[in-house]
Amino acid sequence: MPGPAAGTGSAPAAKPGRDRYLDVLRAVALVRVVFFHLFGWAWLTVLFPSMGVMFALAGSLMARSLARPAGSVIRSRLRRLLPPMWAFSLVVVPVMFALSWKPFREEGLWWFIKIAYYIFPVGTPPYPEENGSTGGWLELTWADQAAGPLWYLRAYLWFVLASPLLLKAFRKLPWVTLLAPIGLTAVIGTGLVTVPGTFGEGLIDFAVFGSCWILGFAHNDGLLKEIPRYLAVSSAAIVMGFGLWWASGHLTEEGWNLDEIPLAQATWSLGFCAILLVYAPSWQKLPGRLAGWDSLVTLANNRAVTIYLWHNLLLMAAAQLVDELWSVPWLGDTFGTYIEQSYQVLVFIVIWPLIGLAILAFGWVEDVAAKRRPRLWPNGAGKRRS
């Protein structure tokens, strides 16, 4: 595969305005995440590898931002990332303590240091394995599920801090830098070498999605356009084929859940994202029938962190609300069988109003973090009217 000669130069000037194609991909990725965490269909991780897509898009935007001094870019990214997490932690962590979570004496001071990961997530924040009540509004594993999305913020933070060096390395040795995370995944993601503790967990995530993040650099710099499309797509297909082959020999109890098979996730996501970005149009506006989804796409992108952080908790709340239908007089007795048969569909219907409430209650924090005027429902309607 020919190397992009322009990789040693500086990035081209970024186009003004938002790229609506990237916005659509991010919105689809968020919806797929909600689908997967509700229905648990392992094949969804193959159909659309949301996390790889989200890291590739973030890498592209990060490379674009690094046309400015690196220090100011990192501060800006941290300012946008951390306050929404703090708002989430201010709700979740006190509830954990209120439900009898206590420090582990065996860990001593280290336990309190790990609590700080709820403020600055360079590591995995701790949480109690059981912290609720059977049959209550907060089931025993609620804390585990609530804290589940926080790994993404940890990985994102690692990538942001490493991006200035990664971008320099990419522009000097593009193919080596792009493929190095795949090699690292083959070493530490397959059990060949084990890195213990939370650092090991973070390093595996960094390796698995590192190539997707760096692929975003290539997209921003226009290097993907220098490769003949047939060659880029065929190479991506080979990488994806390897990912499926590896997954077929390392299936878990969940089957084709690539989230549990690091090397398959890394290679499949890289090839999938490469095809999406090789064919990427540059949309200033959504074309054709997609234009009807403009408001929802805009809202999802303006509140992406809020949606991602809160969706697991809201799925549990939606399930509890559906459970209450059985206790409604006449309704539970008459339609109990239908409620049971359509349980997950009902939860899927209920989750979206709850996400809307979370956007109203917490989404404004994203505006404050970005030094914008707080908005309750930023779906772009005002701009379109103007």
Side-chain angles (χ1 to χ4, degrees), residues 24-53:
V24 169
L25 292 181
R26 186 177 294 104
V28 172
L30 286 170
V31 173
R32 204 285 284 160
V33 167
V34 176
F35 257 95
F36 176 70
H37 287 161
L38 171 58
F39 294 102
W41 297 330
W43 53 266
L44 284 173
T45 63
V46 177
L47 179 66
F48 194 88
S50 284
M51 306 319 300
V53 171

Side-chain angles (χ1 to χ4, degrees), residues 184-194 204 246 250 262-264:
L184 182 59
T185 304
V187 174
I188 65 174
T190 61
L192 188 63
V193 173
T194 301
I204 288 176
W246 182 265
H250 298 81
L263 186 56

Side-chain angles (χ1 to χ4, degrees), residues 46-324:
V46 177
L47 179 66
F48 194 88
S50 284
M51 306 319 300
V53 171
M54 291 172 70
F55 281 118
L57 302 182
S60 179
L61 294 176
M62 188 67 184
R64 174 177 173 174
S65 297
L66 283 172
R68 308 194 307 272
S72 65
V73 173
I74 291 176
R75 287 194 299 271
S76 175
R77 285 290 184 270
L78 295 182
R79 191 181 65 242
R80 289 168 179 259
L81 175 72
L82 297 180
M85 180 177 177
W86 296 341
F88 178 82
S89 300
L90 281 174
V91 173
V92 171
V93 176
V95 175
M96 292 179 186
F97 282 112
L99 295 177
S100 73
W101 189 35
K102 298 178 181 179
F104 288 107
R105 181 174 299 180
E106 295 79 6
E107 295 189 17
L109 181 62
W110 178 241
W111 189 88
F112 293 94
I113 294 175
K114 290 195 296 184
I115 285 290
Y117 292 153
Y118 282 102
I119 300 173
F120 196 74
V122 291
T124 304
Y127 53 84
E129 294 183 5
E130 294 186 354
N131 186 245
S133 59
T134 304
W137 276 87
L138 291 175
E139 60 183 64
L140 287 175
T141 61
W142 79 270
D144 183 12
Q145 297 180 58
L150 297 181
W151 75 267
Y152 172 77
L153 274 69
R154 177 196 63 205
Y156 182 90
L157 178 62
W158 282 36
F159 283 126
V160 166
L161 296 176
S163 280
L165 291 178
L166 287 176
L167 188 59
K168 288 181 180 179
F170 171 75
R171 289 175 176 166
K172 186 174 183 179
L173 297 170
W175 295 113
V176 173
T177 309
L178 178 65
L179 297 177
I182 299 293
L184 182 59
T185 304
V187 174
I188 65 174
T190 61
L192 188 63
V193 173
T194 301
V195 181
T198 59
F199 177 76
E201 295 173 1
L203 189 61
I204 288 176
D205 292 333
F206 187 85
V208 168
F209 297 106
S211 289
C212 291
W213 185 275
I214 296 167
L215 185 70
F217 295 172
H219 171 259
N220 176 78
D221 286 8
L223 302 184
L224 294 178
K225 295 181 180 179
E226 298 184 3
I227 308 171
R229 183 171 291 180
Y230 76 90
L231 184 57
V233 173
S234 59
S235 299
I238 292 172
V239 173
M240 293 169 70
F242 172 82
L244 291 182
W245 171 79
W246 182 265
S248 67
H250 298 81
L251 298 180
T252 66
E253 294 180 357
E254 300 179 34
W256 290 83
N257 183 1
L258 300 188
D259 292 344
E260 305 297 328
I261 313 172
L263 186 56
Q265 175 77 284
T267 49
W268 177 263
S269 296
L270 174 60
F272 192 96
C273 292
I275 292 175
L276 287 179
L277 295 180
V278 162
Y279 282 95
S282 183
W283 293 340
Q284 298 301 308
K285 295 181 179 180
L286 296 185
R289 295 183 179 180
L290 283 177
W293 297 89
D294 185 83
S295 294
L296 291 178
V297 169
T298 301
L299 180 65
N301 278 269
N302 283 327
R303 294 294 180 259
V305 178
T306 298
I307 294 171
Y308 185 79
L309 273 175
W310 290 92
H311 79 275
N312 258 10
L313 266 177
L314 298 178
L315 281 171
M316 289 184 281
Q320 287 290 341
L321 290 174
V322 173
D323 288 342
E324 292 298 313

